[in-house]
Amino acid sequence: MAIDAGSRRHIAVPVFLLAAVLLLHQVYAEVIQSDGCDLFQGSWVFDDSYPLYDTSSCPFIGSGFDCQKNGRPDKQYLKYRWMPDGCDLPRFNGGDFLERFRGKRIMFVGDSLSYNMWESLTCMLHIAIPNSNYTLVQRGQLSTFSFPDYGISIMMLKNGFLVDVVVASVGRVLKLNSITRGNMWKGVDVLIFNSYHWWTHTGRFQTWDYFQVGTKLYKDMDHMEAYKIALTTWANWIESNIDPSKTRVFFQGVSATHSYGGEWGDPKAKDCYGQTQPLDGSTYPGGIHPGEAIVKSVTSNTTKKVYLLDITLLTQLRKDGHPSVYAGGGPSLLDCSHWCLAGVPDTWNQLLYASLLPE
């Protein structure tokens, strides 16, 4: 949501009418801030009213994200709220969200970090109306969480590259200029895309054998160069296929990992294990994230508006928010990429909510 207090006009109205308007639109008032407020620049502050929910109220939360259920002993990481510099982020209102998007379809498209955000949103909505029916259907790569009483569907489509991966005679080919499965993205009211982490994989974790650019195959190339080509292909698809008067398009942004303490000024910390507090302040010692500039460059050059949920800094500051060894796979499985729920992805959905409020 664009924050622009300078455009407000002062109109004389009866006091009782003004009070009624303020009551009916209290959600809007929380996001009317000073000119130029950047919701993505700020710091984490302790707030004892957090977390926004208890995962025990959401039985559909994946075991890999439910850190408390998996034995994480500390709870302070649950108590932090994102506070932008110079303005406030509105507290998420699930009932309001459901009313606004009654009869609508919302789709997340991306990797397991999209899944992280999708599960957060479904839980935040469920606890707002705990006695309302819901359905959860999984078909192939598509998961659909619906609230029949509101006619709203919150979908998650697994697609970590956005561009095509095909099996050819030479092996698995990542086609950087090709999107042939985009039909599933059409006709949706809100699209939230994400792609980054799969592009960083190497060795046995890499899920392709060749890159293809145009008609040429490459056994290897710079992964960030490939990422930029693919993201540009995605942006061109948006330009050609999306009507912005019917569909709002978001890009989730690049979520930080914490695999080496030297990046945040603590060389004694091997990784995210044992971290219990965020970094203080609003700067990250490790500098600019390698994927961040690419995402900003591509999304800012689209003629059809793509709203960037610029989550990089706020995730860089949360070295404490990962499952670490509490992802359900035992002490041998260390996860410093995904996020505990409740936790950091709830803020991503607060930012999504704020951006969807009327300007």
Side-chain angles (χ1 to χ4, degrees), residues 13-318:
V13 294
V15 173
F16 72 89
L17 180 58
L18 178 60
V21 171
L22 289 174
L23 179 63
L24 288 171
H25 297 277
Q26 57 183 324
V27 173
Y28 305 161
E30 291 184 278
V31 293
I32 297 175
Q33 305 297 340
S34 60
D35 290 347
C37 174
D38 184 352
L39 293 176
F40 306 104
Q41 182 67 38
S43 59
W44 292 94
V45 297
F46 186 85
D47 188 333
D48 203 42
S49 70
Y50 273 56
L52 298 177
Y53 56 86
D54 186 324
T55 51
S56 64
S57 301
C58 300
F60 44 83
I61 289 287
S63 59
F65 303 145
D66 195 344
C67 301
Q68 289 294 304
K69 185 177 180 180
N70 292 331
R72 180 165 177 169
D74 61 304
K75 295 186 178 182
Q76 187 169 332
Y77 73 94
L78 295 166
K79 296 291 186 179
Y80 289 95
R81 170 174 56 86
W82 177 247
M83 184 165 63
D85 294 338
C87 58
D88 292 321
L89 182 62
R91 195 174 180 93
F92 188 85
N93 186 327
D96 178 73
F97 188 105
L98 289 164
E99 286 293 347
R100 289 181 188 278
F101 292 95
R102 184 181 286 272
K104 304 295 186 181
R105 300 169 72 222
I106 298 171
M107 178 182 281
F108 292 84
V109 183
D111 57 23
S112 52
L113 285 157
S114 292
Y115 196 87
N116 220 170
M117 186 176 179
W118 174 73
E119 285 210 331
S120 163
L121 180 59
T122 56
C123 188
M124 292 166 77
L125 294 175
H126 172 63
I127 63 165
I129 48 165
N131 296 321
S132 184
N133 293 327
Y134 70 84
T135 61
L136 176 57
V137 178
Q138 295 179 309
R139 292 193 177 96
Q141 302 300 313
L142 180 66
S143 300
T144 303
F145 195 104
S146 301
F147 294 94
D149 294 344
Y150 292 84
I152 183 174
S153 295
I154 316 292
M155 297 172 283
M156 169 64 212
L157 180 63
K158 184 179 179 181
N159 185 339
F161 294 113
L162 302 182
V163 294
D164 294 337
V165 182
V166 300
V167 178
S169 58
V170 295
R172 301 162 299 178
V173 179
L174 184 50
K175 304 180 72 172
L176 304 183
N177 300 126
S178 175
I179 294 177
T180 59
R181 295 176 295 168
N183 282 340
M184 294 185 71
W185 309 345
K186 295 179 180 179
V188 177
D189 299 286
V190 180
L191 285 164
I192 306 102
F193 291 94
N194 170 54
S195 180
Y196 177 73
H197 278 275
W198 286 15
W199 295 92
T200 66
H201 293 170
T202 58
R204 63 187 179 90
F205 298 105
Q206 186 173 296
T207 53
W208 71 91
D209 301 304
Y210 289 88
F211 294 101
Q212 182 173 336
V213 182
T215 58
K216 294 184 177 180
L217 290 178
Y218 299 90
K219 182 61 178 175
D220 198 14
M221 65 186 297
D222 182 84
H223 286 201
M224 289 300 96
E225 180 184 352
Y227 177 56
K228 185 173 184 179
I229 295 170
L231 212 58
T232 302
T233 299
W234 163 81
N236 290 337
W237 188 95
I238 295 295
E239 298 275 14
S240 301
N241 293 278
I242 294 298
D243 181 350
S245 68
K246 297 179 180 178
T247 302
R248 298 283 300 275
V249 180
F250 293 82
F251 197 87
Q252 186 175 326
V254 178
S255 172
T257 61
H258 293 91
S259 300
Y260 171 56
E263 291 184 355
W264 61 84
D266 184 8
K268 293 182 180 180
K270 184 178 178 181
D271 44 50
C272 68
Y273 176 68
Q275 299 296 319
T276 59
Q277 295 179 329
L279 288 170
D280 292 331
S282 56
T283 57
Y284 184 65
I288 297 174
H289 193 287
E292 185 180 9
I294 295 172
V295 169
K296 287 183 176 180
S297 173
V298 173
T299 56
S300 64
N301 285 324
T302 55
T303 59
K304 293 182 179 177
K305 185 176 181 181
V306 175
Y307 191 97
L308 174 61
L309 296 174
D310 189 9
I311 62 173
T312 303
L313 173 63
L314 67 89
T315 56
Q316 285 177 323
L317 299 175
R318 288 305 304 270

Side-chain angles (χ1 to χ4, degrees), residues 336-359:
C336 294
S337 298
H338 300 98
W339 302 92
C340 294
L341 295 179
V344 173
D346 305 331
T347 295
W348 305 349
N349 284 310
Q350 285 182 276
L351 291 162
L352 174 67
Y353 174 61
S355 65
L356 288 167
L357 294 175
E359 297 186 6

